[in-house]
């Protein structure tokens, strides 16, 4: 039975009781408890079920390495699956439920899997469910999927908020144990800017639990004083509850701070993701105790020795009344001593070593604890809880010598340094045979941008396991990380410990029956026998073994299981552990909440939403928006109960017969100026821009070096040495960057400056036969036919607004585009709407614009082009200068495939029945190709219902282009039929341009 | 003519720091190489000091920021921008340069209070501890471009006008009471 | 080779599974082979397998510098689909999908091909048009796919946020035959198949040089010594540039990091594969319960198998917005692979300037789904010395001619 | 997550403030070039595993393009320099050779 002890508990505050619930049961804990310690205090040893066999699972550990004790925490919009109880601070009202069972934790039907365990060894699914073919999809996989996963998926949108923050430092110290503290002192003392992060809510790590004595004081006192001293230094930042999740290239460090995890709903961000740029990193992340592999080591009640000690010392919880300790090292004796000190019974210490005569074993014996050396656990007895162990010889095959009754087992197989942060960026490890551990190889560190070591391991994380060694090591690491020699450091009382003896299988000669019950990875149910099977079948690389058995792929990422797994693999392959090597350590160190990784970018600030100066007006006038890059542009402005299609049709007819206004502010506007500007534009555009007279506008095309059309727009000559280039909405930044690229990297001796003034101006297109009339109502500049003819521009005022007016048209109507400073854009727009009320002026959206330009046969970047189309394909040869020796794209267009006469070229299409050709349809050609695919000879690129012409119109590409005029071709449709259409001139409306030129 | 309006009409938010949208400010982009003759004088003629690289030289309501080796950002009262632009062009005529009025292309924010830095540290990959007095830092705030400098009891932040609302959202989210970093 | 079946398992269970034989052998290399494949990724192994199976060439070695399947084949998000736009792509990817549909049976190894359906969300009108184009093209290419409306999307993906607000879902390109597969098993299954035909899979054997005489390949220098060959296939994905350099030519290839991540496992809540290209994210839930999520590519050359973290953040932002319920899940592990990107983002299955030396690479971010089809086509190319129809368009000379196979045009990405 | 020093403004910029631009020191060929020359310029890439020269733009900063010498296998940055040059500065080449004795040279 596990209970709360009457006395003690260095981390709990007994004056502050907290109520919480587990599987609906109301339980009590104390401030300072973890969910795990509180559950254990309430005798809740059984906490979950394993992944594959649904075996009962209880606590094994007391920290981030815990593989079993995961729960669903919280409800509704605060439900969080797979929450690790050992790192969850208890708070009042916490609700937890256990995972992966049905119907209940105590009685789980899924546990039948366990009876069939021998039929379900590692990788069994690769060998079966093969026949019959349909069965995998329809029977087997659904069944496997049903049993997938641990926690329940949340159903509601997250109620919490998250944020991120940047920080910078010279030395980042990960881990606030004594090594981390000492390293921080060493670096900060030399003047380094230090950030010290500890994942737990308290400082000090293991030392206070282990009773270390530092500088003559209890470790706890030293820790407190050191934190105070560090806190007073201006160059040190301290944070608890902040887990260093990953170390990335060039010293980028990711850390997750639990801000309001333990105070849910208090309005603070649940978590904060720190993105820290550290020049150097000290990994003082401690070591993790290793389990031992004996049969039944997965039964609830079998725990790490250090965890048992933690529960007793930190939270005054006894995991059991009678605890057997099993070990291969001296450290575990501390657990026996701690248990005895708390008044609990330790029936036996089973030590696999033949001798145990160091000070710690002697103290244990002196207390009258039975110590059995050279012995092992043959198997653990119990189902949902340990009831006893069978003692045997370590050297034998597991013949039981005796049964010892107990309700908990504290096991220790030695320690593994936490080398994750060292390894994330490529730091290499070395096998320390004496301590039977992989530890950082200081000669092969991860390196940073300067090629120098990025990470320095310190303390237990570096294999310096005793407090005395850890402090010395940390002082060295802290100083070296700042490029200094180590100074004096704190001294710990030396504790003498005999060396451990590696024990990978207990007992050594265990047969297959026992090995099938020795768990390596208790969450994923990987056993010693599975690893041996993998080796036998040729999955010899440790990476194959991992993937074949799923060893170490569970939510704890093998923090407990990996080393034992490697050792077993090495044994099976008859080689040494270092030859097997480890699998790759990947971030994060422990799982990080996805919401925190998304940070603030949710809802309104998910992405920048670019708004034109007139955007608000559109919103209040019922615009239906469409995303165009990061902008949202009005697609149409439905009135009353109109559908979008109806609105679009109405808008088009209104423009064609009266006047309409389009917010064209999003068009790119680039000023290009300088003595070489003309020459530059001649290289950029396919046509000649240097000859454009001042005051005139010219449509231009831009290609990339490959020759493909990339953007178009009207170029305006503002003055002798200044041009203004309009780009598409999506093109503004891209083309600006493109221009800078060529100016800076290729023609850097040309004198040209470019300025992106896209956002300086609101731009309003006023189009339709009454456009001029509308402008004239505002008064100001002369916008008459002769003073401002088609394809010219002028500056002046309209209704006192300072404007530049361009006589350009994308709709084919009499049209003006008016540029006005952005801060006046809305006012001008409203003035025009007001002044045009009796002219029937309407706002129109992008879709009306698209249809009108299609009626005119104007191409649209992104519709007629797709990155593989050259201007020649679109019959735009008139806009390609043949005189120029060079322009971007010219050489590319000369390549055989681009110069081929067989290319698909632009034409218009009209269905024979007046219907609209489906979007995306292809023009069928006779026969099939070598791969049996139906041949094609073209495709539609723009297809609309034209309300002006009251029929479907389309543009498309067809082999032969306009040469095929008059022919009838067939487009395919998704229903399987075809649509017959005639090849026609792509200009459907006002071919002579009489409407736009008036 | 109507009065020019700033992007957000002077929206503000009071969190652990105070966020205000201000402006519109007069702003000119000047492109010219550092060795252009008369550059310093031309800037002086419109009342601003030519800045050192990466600095914002402030003088009262006016300022001039170093944006790149051949780009400056001139700040002055909104109404004076056009005149100043003309004056600069005049002064630099004959030299290769470009001046553009970008007053309306920008939104300007003030982030004020003892913890103003923390608001920005949540958004910008900038080491504020090493930001020198008068330093103009061009960088990124979350997903959009921004330039900042310390001024008075806080910072001035300039971004593109179209993303003003996004910026306001970011700054308010970051300044939310209770979310102080330290 | 002992056949795998439920009976075999039952039999072995009685014997504590002590009787299983090796899935593939680990022989020492011979002096020379009829054909050498460099790279024991999915494409290399499949090439070897079909060289044997379709063309009777079994005196083959597959040389792998690390562990087989440890390249991109072992680290991808396992998306399988064939609804590509361009004829050449649709042909080879659909061939591949057809082979996947029978692969477990063919290999007698369950590769867990899971045709659970795949959706590519359309969140702009432009994307809608692009996907409609793909649907029309696919009809003529004999590739099944359809465009579905938002209601159907919501029905297939209950956890999706269909209304935006930022990018409402306007529909999706849906391929019911698409889905996922167990990536490692694909490599292992082919390896077992190759080994059973007597081919040599030689791991921990890095090719360091290519030997040639009179413009024709004669063998390779490796960390296990020189090994001669009559024909050489370079199938090394991200390392193609290095191998090409050894063979004396240069490729239109850049190696960049592409990342992926998995969440902790949760009970099933996402039964299809979803790709959201407007916001850049794709996601599926594995049979074990983790959300398998793909990130973006770096823009710079990199061989570290680590990418830049901001791509992970961008992807997760996009997915949290699209699937708000994943916000409280946790990222369990992230990793990177080095993908080989060509000038048009389509692969090369090609002869090379070096005689009897062939290359298969450039699958970039999307070649897991192509493994069977690519192996099939590459085997034909190597066996006959000339490409068959599946490979014809994928020659490395297409760039010179400007004959691109550009898949990005239809608003899509390549995964 | 790389950091590179912008040689124009001296800012140590992180990758998210920069835009990558591919291989540096490509020699543009235009009309008149052979198909092979054009293909080599447009598509063939060194793509080395080791020392590499590449283009970056300080996109969220001064907007300038610069060049970087970086190892693609370790991500070590040997130096950055302005884009307006056709070969890496000699001093930088010397530095690289010192750090990577087996480097075959630019
Ligand atoms: C994160 C990520 C996600 C992806 N997602 C998808 C997806 O969802 N769907 C999809 O279809 N595709 C996806 N891909 C792409 C897909 O993984 C690859 O296209 C495919 O696996 C390539 O297979 P391959 O056999 O060509 O290469 P690899 O599997 O990389 O194999 C190449 C092998 O060559 C070996 N090699 C290299 N150099 C040498 C040498 N000198 N000597 C000997 N051996 C050498 C390598 O060690 C490696 O094992 C993804 C890729 C990544 C990285
Ligand atoms: N005698 C033995 O066999 C033995 C074995 C192991 C440890 N120890 C004891 O361990 C102590 C060593 O001190 P130490 O400081 O090196 O280790 P430690 O375990 O005391 O401290 C490490 C600290 O790092 C924190 N941490 C780990 N990963 C982290 C991450 N990713 N982010 C943030 N924090 C993280 C842990 O929470 C812990 O507080 C000594 O007291 C020593 O006696 C002894
Ligand atoms: C589809 C897929 C699913 C994966 N699922 C898991 C998983 O559940 N747990 C885990 O630890 N890793 C998982 N991984 C990641 C692998 O552990 C590993 O990181 C990846 O294959 C890259 O290899 P590397 O990290 O050894 O370089 C998965 C990988 C893939 C491709
Ligand atoms: Zn810069």
């Amino acid at each position: 039975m596990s209970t709360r002890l009457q006395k003690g508990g260095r981390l709990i505050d007994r004056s502050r009781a907290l109520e919480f619930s587990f599987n609906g049961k109301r339980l009590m804990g104390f401030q300072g408890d973890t969910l795990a310690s509180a559950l254990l205090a309430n005798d809740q040893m059984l906490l979950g079920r394993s992944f594959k066999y649904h075996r009962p699972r209880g606590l094994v550990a007391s920290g981030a390495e815990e593989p079993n004790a995961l729960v669903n925490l919280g409800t509704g919009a605060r439900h969080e699956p797979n929450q690790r109880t050992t790192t969850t601070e208890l708070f009042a009202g916490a609700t937890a439920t256990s995972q992966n069972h049905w119907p209940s934790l105590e009685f789980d039907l899924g546990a039948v899997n366990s009876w069939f365990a021998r039929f379900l060894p590692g990788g069994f699914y690769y060998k079966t469910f093969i026949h019959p073919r349909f069965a995998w999809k329809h029977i087997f996989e659904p069944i496997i999927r049903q049993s997938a996963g641990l926690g329940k998926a949340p159903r509601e949108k997250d109620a919490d908020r998250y944020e991120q923050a940047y920080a910078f430092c010279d030395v980042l110290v990960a881990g606030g144990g004594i090594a981390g503290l000492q390293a921080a002192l060493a670096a900060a003392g030399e003047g380094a800017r230090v950030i010290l992060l500890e994942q737990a809510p308290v400082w000090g790590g293991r030392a206070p639990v282990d009773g270390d004595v530092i500088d003559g004081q209890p470790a706890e006192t030293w820790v407190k004083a050191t934190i105070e001293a560090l806190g007073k230094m201006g160059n040190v930042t301290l944070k608890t509850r902040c887990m260093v999740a990953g170390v990335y290239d060039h010293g980028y460090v990711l850390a997750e701070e639990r801000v309001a995890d333990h105070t849910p709903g208090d309005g603070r961000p649940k978590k904060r993701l720190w993105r820290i740029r550290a020049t150097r990193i000290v990994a003082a992340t401690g070591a993790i105790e290793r389990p031992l592999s004996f049969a039944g080591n997965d039964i609830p009640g079998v725990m790490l020795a250090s965890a048992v000690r933690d529960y007793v010392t930190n939270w005054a919880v006894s995991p059991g009344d009678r605890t057997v300790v099993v070990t291969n090292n001296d450290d575990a004796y501390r657990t026996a001593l701690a248990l005895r000190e708390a008044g609990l019974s330790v029936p036996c210490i089973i030590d696999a070593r033949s001798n145990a005569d160091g000070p710690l074993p002697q103290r244990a014996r002196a207390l009258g604890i039975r110590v059995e050396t050279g012995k092992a656990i043959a198997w653990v007895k119990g189902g949902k809880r340990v009831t006893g162990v069978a003692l045997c010889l370590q050297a034998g095959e597991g013949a039981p010598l005796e049964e010892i009754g107990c309700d908990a087992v504290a096991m220790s197989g030695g320690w593994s340094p936490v080398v994750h942060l060292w390894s994330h960026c490529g730091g290499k490890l070395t096998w320390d045979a004496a301590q039977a551990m992989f530890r950082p190889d200081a000669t092969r560190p991860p390196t940073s941008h300067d090629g120098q070591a990025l990470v320095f391991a310190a303390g237990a994380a570096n294999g310096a396991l005793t407090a005395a060694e850890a402090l010395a090591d940390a002082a060295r690491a802290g100083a070296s990380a700042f490029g200094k020699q180590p100074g004096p450091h704190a001294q710990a009382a030396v504790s003498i410990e005999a060396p451990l003896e590696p024990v990978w299988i207990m007992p050594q000669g265990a047969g297959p029956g026992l090995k099938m019950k020795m768990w390596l990875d208790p969450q994923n149910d990987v056993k010693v026998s599975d690893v041996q099977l993998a080796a036998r079948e040729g999955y010899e690389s440790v990476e194959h073994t991992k993937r074949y058995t799923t060893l170490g792929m569970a939510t704890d990422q093998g923090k407990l299981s990996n080393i034992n797994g490697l050792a077993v693999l090495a044994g099976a392959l008859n080689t040494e552990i270092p030859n097997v090597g480890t699998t790759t350590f990947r971030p994060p160190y422990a799982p990080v909440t996805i919401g925190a990784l998304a940070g603030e970018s949710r809802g309104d600030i998910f992405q920048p939403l670019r708004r034109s100066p007139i955007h608000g007006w559109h919103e209040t006038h019922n615009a239906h928006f469409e995303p165009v890059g990061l902008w949202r542009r009005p697609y149409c402005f439905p009135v009353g109960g109109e559908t979008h299609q109806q609105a679009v049709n109405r808008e088009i007819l209104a423009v064609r017969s009266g006047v309409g206004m389009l917010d064209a502010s999003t068009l790119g506007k680039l000023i290009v100026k300088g003595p070489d500007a003309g020459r530059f534009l001649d290289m950029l555009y396919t046509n000649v821009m240097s000859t454009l007279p001042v005051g005139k506008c010219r449509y231009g095309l831009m290609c990339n070096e490959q020759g493909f059309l990339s953007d178009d727009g009207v170029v305006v000559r503002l003055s002798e040495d200044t041009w203004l280039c309009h780009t598409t909405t999506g093109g503004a930044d891209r083309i600006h960057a493109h221009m800078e690229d060529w100016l800076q990297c290729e023609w850097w001796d040309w004198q040209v400056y470019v300025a992106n003034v896209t956002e300086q101006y609101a731009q309003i297109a006023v189009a339709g036969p009454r456009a001029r009339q509308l402008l004239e109502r505002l008064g100001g500049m002369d916008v008459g036919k002769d003073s401002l003819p088609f394809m010219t521009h002028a500056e002046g005022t309209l209704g006192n607004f300072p404007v530049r007016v361009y006589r350009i048209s994308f709709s084919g109507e009499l049209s003006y585009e008016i540029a006005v400073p952005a801060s006046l854009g809305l006012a001008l727009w409203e003035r025009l709407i007001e002044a045009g009320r009796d002219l029937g002026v309407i706002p129109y959206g992008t879709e009306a614009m698209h249809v009108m330009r299609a009626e005119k046969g104007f191409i649209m970047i992104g519709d007629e082009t797709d990155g593989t189309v050259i201007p020649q394909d679109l019959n735009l040869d008139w806009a390609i200068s043949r005189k120029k020796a060079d322009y971007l794209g010219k050489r590319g267009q000369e390549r055989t495939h681009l110069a081929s006469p067989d290319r698909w070229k632009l034409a218009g299409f009209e269905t024979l029945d007046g219907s609209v050709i489906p979007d995306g349809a292809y023009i069928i050609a006779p026969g099939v190709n070598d791969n049996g695919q139906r041949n094609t000879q073209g495709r539609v690129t723009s297809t609309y219902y034209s309300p002006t012409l009251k029929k479907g119109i389309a543009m498309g590409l067809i082999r032969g282009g306009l040469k095929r005029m008059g022919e009838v071709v067939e487009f395919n449709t998704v229903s399987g039929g075809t649509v017959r259409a005639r090849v026609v001139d792509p200009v459907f409306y006002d071919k002579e341009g009489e409407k736009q030129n008036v | 003519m109507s009065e020019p309006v700033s992007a957000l009409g002077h929206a503000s938010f009071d969190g652990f720091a105070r966020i205000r949208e201000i402006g519109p400010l007069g702003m000119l982009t000047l492109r010219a190489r550092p060795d252009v003759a008369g550059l310093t004088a031309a800037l002086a003629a419109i009342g601003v000091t030519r800045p050192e690289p990466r600095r914002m030289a402030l003088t009262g309501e006016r300022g001039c920021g170093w944006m790149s080796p051949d780009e400056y950002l001139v700040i002055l009262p909104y109404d004076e921008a056009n005149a100043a632009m003309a004056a600069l062009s005049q002064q630099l005529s004959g030299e290769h340069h470009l001046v553009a009025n970008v007053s309306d292309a920008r939104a300007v924010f003030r982030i004020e209070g003892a913890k103003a830095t923390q608001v920005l540290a949540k958004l910008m990959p900038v080491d504020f501890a090493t930001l020198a007095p008068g330093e103009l830092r061009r960088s990124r705030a979350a997903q959009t471009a921004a330039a900042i400098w310390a001024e008075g009891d806080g910072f001035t932040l300039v971004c593109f006008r179209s993303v003003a609302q996004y910026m306001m959202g970011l700054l308010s989210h970051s300044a939310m009471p209770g979310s102080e970093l330290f | 080779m002992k056949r795998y079946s439920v009976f075999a398992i039952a039999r072995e269970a009685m014997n504590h599974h002590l009787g299983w034989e090796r899935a593939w052998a680990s022989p020492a290399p011979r002096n020379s082979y009829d054909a050498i494949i460099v790279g024991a990724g999915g494409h290399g192994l499949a090439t070897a397998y079909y060289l044997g199976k379709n063309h009777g060439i079994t005196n083959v070695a597959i040389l792998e510098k690390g562990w087989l399947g440890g390249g991109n084949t072992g680290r991808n998000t396992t998306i399988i689909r064939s609804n590509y736009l361009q004829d050449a792509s649709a042909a080879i990817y659909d061939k591949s999908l057809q082979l996947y549909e029978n692969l477990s049976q063919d290999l007698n190894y369950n590769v867990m091909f899971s045709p659970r359906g795949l959706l590519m969300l359309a969140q702009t009108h432009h994307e809608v048009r692009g996907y409609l184009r793909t649907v029309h093209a696919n009809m003529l290419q004999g590739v099944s796919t359809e465009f579905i409306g938002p209601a159907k999307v919501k029905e297939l993906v209950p956890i999706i946020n269909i209304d935006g607000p930022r990018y409402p879902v306007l529909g999706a390109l849906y391929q019911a035959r698409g889905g996922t597969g167990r990536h490692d098993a694909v490599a292992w299954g082919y390896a077992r198949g190759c080994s059973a035909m007597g081919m040599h899979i030689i791991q921990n054997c890095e090719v360091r040089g290519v030997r040639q005489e009179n413009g024709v390949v004669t063998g390779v220098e490796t960390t296990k010594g020189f090994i001669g060959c009559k024909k050489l296939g370079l199938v090394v994905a991200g390392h193609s540039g290095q191998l090409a350099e050894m063979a004396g030519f240069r490729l239109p290839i850049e190696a960049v990091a592409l990342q992926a991540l998995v969440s902790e496992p949760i009970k099933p809540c996402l039964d299809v594969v979803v790709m959201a290209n407007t916001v850049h994210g794709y996601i599926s839930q594995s049979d074990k319960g983790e959300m398998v999520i793909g990130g973006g590519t770096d823009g710079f050359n990199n061989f570290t198998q680590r990418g830049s973290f901001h791509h992970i953040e961008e992807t997760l932002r996009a997915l949290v917005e699209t699937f708000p319920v994943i916000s409280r899940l946790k990222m369990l592990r992230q990793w990177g692979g080095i993908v080989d990107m060509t000038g048009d983002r389509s692969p090369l299955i090609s002869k090379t300037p070096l005689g009897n030396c062939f290359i298969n690479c450039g699958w970039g971010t999307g070649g897991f789904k192509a493994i069977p089809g690519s192996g099939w086509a590459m085997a034909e190319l190597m066996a006959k010395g000339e490409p068959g129809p599946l490979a014809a368009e994928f020659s490395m000379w297409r760039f010179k001619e400007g004959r691109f196979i550009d898949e990005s045009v239809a608003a899509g990405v390549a995964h | 997550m790389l950091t590179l020093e912008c040689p124009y403004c001296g800012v140590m910029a992180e990758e998210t403030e920069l835009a990558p631009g591919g291989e540096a020191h490509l020699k543009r060929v235009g009309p008149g070039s052979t198909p092979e020359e054009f293909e080599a310029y447009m598509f063939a890439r060194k793509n080395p595993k080791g020392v590499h020269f590449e283009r970056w733009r300080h996109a969220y900063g001064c907007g300038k393009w610069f060049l970087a010498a970086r190892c693609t296998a370790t991500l070590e940055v040997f130096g950055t320099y302005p884009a307006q040059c056709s070969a890496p500065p000699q001093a930088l080449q010397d530095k690289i050779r010192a750090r990577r004795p087996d480097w075959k040279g630019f």
Side-chain angles (χ1 to χ4, degrees), chain A residues 552-803:
Chain A
M553 296 179 80
T555 61
D556 61 316
Q557 291 286 289
K559 291 188 183 67
L560 297 186
S561 58
N562 275 354
I563 302 292
N564 287 345
L566 308 176
V568 171
L569 181 61
L573 297 173
N574 210 357
T575 181
E576 299 298 317
I577 292 174
N579 294 340
V580 167
T582 65
T583 54
T584 305
F585 293 86
R586 293 280 188 186
Y589 172 64
V592 173
T593 300
I594 286 178
L597 294 166
E600 78 293 329
S601 305
R602 287 167 48 178
D604 287 345
I605 49 174
F606 163 57
Q607 269 184 356
L609 174 64
R610 297 181 72 183
R611 299 160 62 96
S612 87
I614 311 168
H615 190 97
W617 190 94
H618 305 323
E619 282 178 336
T620 54
H621 289 77
N622 198 34
H624 169 67
F625 286 98
E626 69 163 330
V628 184
L630 292 176
W631 301 93
R632 290 179 104 190
R633 300 189 68 187
Y635 176 91
C636 61
F637 293 85
V639 177
E642 270 180 341
T643 63
H644 295 164
Q645 175 79 52
Q646 287 166 338
V648 169
N649 291 348
R650 174 184 47 76
E651 288 169 14
I652 293 167
L653 295 175
V655 173
R656 294 265 184 247
S657 63
V659 57
M661 288 163 47
L662 173 87
D663 181 359
S665 307
T666 59
L667 287 186
K669 306 165 200 81
L670 306 173
I671 296 179
V672 180
K673 177 175 187 242
D676 295 309
R679 174 186 180 199
F680 175 61
L681 293 178
D682 285 351
M683 280 303 292
L684 242 68
Y685 285 90
T686 58
N687 38 358
V688 183
M689 291 298 172
S690 52
T691 58
L692 179 67
V694 174
K696 286 271 165 61
C697 307
R698 182 173 287 166
Y699 175 70
L701 304 172
M702 264 190 242
C703 295
N704 57 24
E705 266 280 66
Q706 305 216 37
F708 300 121
L709 190 50
S710 74
D711 209 68
D712 68 349
V714 170
V715 178
V716 175
R717 181 107 182 229
L718 294 177
S719 71
E720 197 44 50
D721 68 349
T722 311
W723 284 254
L724 174 69
C725 302
H726 287 105
T727 73
T728 58
T729 295
D733 295 324
R734 181 168 51 88
I735 299 299
H736 181 213
H738 174 68
M739 289 181 172
E740 285 293 343
D741 189 350
W742 286 100
L743 284 172
Q744 292 179 33
C745 302
E746 188 70 27
W747 303 307
W748 63 74
D749 49 338
W750 294 13
Q751 297 204 355
V752 183
Y753 283 127
V754 181
N756 185 347
V757 294
T758 301
E759 297 206 15
Q760 170 68 13
Y761 301 100
Q763 198 139 317
I764 302 171
V766 180
R770 297 192 202 137
R772 182 173 294 134
Q773 215 180 330
L774 173 54
L775 297 198
E776 281 169 354
R777 288 197 174 178
L778 265 59
M781 61 194 289
D782 183 353
V783 294
K785 179 177 174 17
D786 302 321
S787 19
L788 192 57
F790 189 51
M791 293 309 264
T792 64
H793 66 92
E795 278 179 41
T797 60
L798 280 176
N800 286 333
F801 287 90
V803 294

Side-chain angles (χ1 to χ4, degrees), chain A residues 64 68 126 396 436 441 539 792 825 868 941:
Chain A
N68 290 337
Y126 302 119
D441 179 349
Y539 300 88
T792 64
T868 66
T941 55

Side-chain angles (χ1 to χ4, degrees), chain A residues 175-180 197-199 204-207 210 212 242-244 284-287 331 334 415 459-460 465-467 470 497 589:
Chain A
I178 56 170
L197 303 180
E198 165 58 47
Q199 62 188 5
R206 289 222 59 79
D210 290 356
D212 286 319
C242 194
M243 188 241 323
V244 178
T285 44
D331 183 53
R334 291 194 170 94
W415 291 79
L465 289 187
T466 66
E497 290 177 39
Y589 172 64

Side-chain angles (χ1 to χ4, degrees), chain A residues 33 43 144 288 377 435 441 540 883 894 914:
Chain A
D33 260 325
D43 197 23
I144 291 183
I288 292 177
I377 290 182
Q435 302 195 83
D441 179 349
E540 296 175 331
K883 279 178 290 189
E894 289 166 1

Side-chain angles (χ1 to χ4, degrees), chain B residues 54 66-69 138, chain D residues 5-11 13 18 57-66:
Chain B
R54 258 168 69 188
W66 186 96
M67 300 290 273
S68 89
R138 298 179 74 180
Chain D
E5 183 173 344
C6 171
Y8 298 98
C9 58
V11 164
L18 304 168
R57 185 178 183 214
H58 193 186
Y60 279 98
C62 67
K64 295 296 178 210
W65 281 97
F66 63 90

Side-chain angles (χ1 to χ4, degrees), chain A residues 33 150 158 164 200 234 238 353 378 385 405 718 750 800 840 965 991:
Chain A
D33 260 325
L150 290 172
D158 198 338
Q164 306 186 334
L238 301 170
R353 297 173 295 181
R385 179 84 204 225
L718 294 177
W750 294 13
N800 286 333
M965 195 97 90
K991 172 120 176 123

